[in-house]
Amino acid sequence: MYDRPRPDQPVPAVTFDQMLERVRYEGAYPTRERAAEAVHHVLAALGRQLTGDERLDLAQRLPVEAALTLTAQIPDTEHLTGWDFVKDLATRTGATPATARWDTGAVLAVAARLAGPDLFARILRRLPDGYSLLFGQAELRRPQPATA
């Protein structure tokens, strides 16, 4: 039942093995196991932050194994900024903030490419400030209302 995509859903563009190879290259990880560890930790953390249609649409574009990691998480009620996301990931995994930031960048850069530009823009609008850099993109300031 779960091994065949439903006809109304897009088929992921890559397999989980291909995704791991992309993350391994992006993060310069020595082994596939290290890349898989990063993928699972970062996508679980993202699954705790991302909600709504963007969460479901991203899951549809990811390989099944990655999508299950993302969607198995119950979204937190507290939305973390990009830096808080990295600190939370470091705390949960026992890594340093620098390692957590490295893992986040490697995994989310690949996820952004798999999402495509339209979905990626929607994801960034859903998340608090600071996530663009984590996805490997420039952080553009949101327009602020003029004060008199």
Side-chain angles (χ1 to χ4, degrees):
M1 177 163 126
Y2 292 105
D3 59 345
R4 292 190 333 229
R6 291 186 287 178
D8 59 337
Q9 293 184 341
V11 177
V14 298
T15 66
F16 188 62
D17 287 337
Q18 291 169 326
M19 181 181 181
L20 287 181
E21 281 305 313
R22 289 179 184 185
V23 170
R24 183 176 177 195
Y25 176 80
E26 192 76 32
Y29 296 115
T31 64
R32 287 175 77 89
E33 291 76 23
R34 178 64 184 94
E37 181 181 297
V39 166
H40 288 294
H41 288 307
V42 172
L43 289 181
L46 183 62
R48 289 188 292 274
Q49 293 300 306
L50 192 59
T51 60
D53 290 339
E54 290 76 17
R55 175 185 169 106
L56 298 175
D57 291 347
L58 178 59
Q60 289 178 347
R61 306 244 176 120
L62 295 174
V64 172
E65 298 88 335
L68 290 173
T69 298
L70 178 80
T71 58
Q73 306 304 309
I74 297 171
D76 286 341
T77 55
E78 178 186 357
H79 296 288
L80 303 174
T81 65
W83 177 236
D84 289 334
F85 177 90
V86 171
K87 290 190 300 187
D88 181 65
L89 181 61
T91 300
R92 288 174 185 265
T93 62
T96 65
T99 300
R101 172 61 182 93
W102 185 270
D103 291 348
T104 299
V107 174
L108 294 185
V110 172
R113 288 194 295 275
L114 292 175
D118 293 337
L119 177 55
F120 175 65
R122 288 178 30 223
I123 289 169
L124 286 182
R125 283 193 298 273
R126 167 99 33 206
L127 295 169
D129 288 338
Y131 281 85
S132 292
L133 292 174
L134 299 180
F135 280 96
Q137 302 294 313
E139 180 80 37
L140 301 177
R141 289 247 186 237
R142 293 182 181 158
Q144 300 296 320
T147 59

